[in-house]
Amino acid sequence: KEFWAENKITQNEVEEFKKCEHYFEYKGETVMCKKCFFGMNNSSNPILEIRDGKLFTRGESIEF
């Protein structure tokens, strides 16, 4: 009873996921967004290419 006497009820609100305007760069064998740090391994069969911060595979842009 004493432990809970000062307890306050709070709620967590669920917020919409904010979409990142990705800007990718190479980090070793990984491609990583420098804004949100989303990354993908590109070491075993490097098919990911970065052009002006945008991610491409086989010449086609990858959109998230």
Side-chain angles (χ1 to χ4, degrees):
K1 188 174 182 180
E2 292 176 16
F3 178 80
W4 296 106
E6 300 296 320
N7 194 26
K8 296 180 182 176
I9 298 174
T10 61
Q11 290 184 336
N12 290 330
E13 292 183 30
V14 178
E15 296 180 6
E16 289 292 321
F17 183 74
K18 295 179 176 111
K19 186 174 178 177
C20 180
E21 296 290 328
H22 295 299
Y23 188 90
F24 288 97
E25 53 188 21
Y26 293 106
K27 294 286 186 183
E29 296 180 344
T30 304
V31 292
M32 184 174 289
C33 175
K34 75 176 197 175
K35 295 178 181 180
C36 72
F37 306 108
F38 168 74
M40 291 182 280
N41 189 329
N42 196 32
S43 64
S44 61
N45 186 13
I47 62 169
L48 300 174
E49 179 184 349
I50 298 172
R51 295 185 213 154
D52 297 323
K54 302 294 180 195
L55 199 57
F56 290 80
T57 184
R58 297 182 182 108
E60 294 184 29
S61 177
I62 299 174
E63 298 295 326
F64 294 94

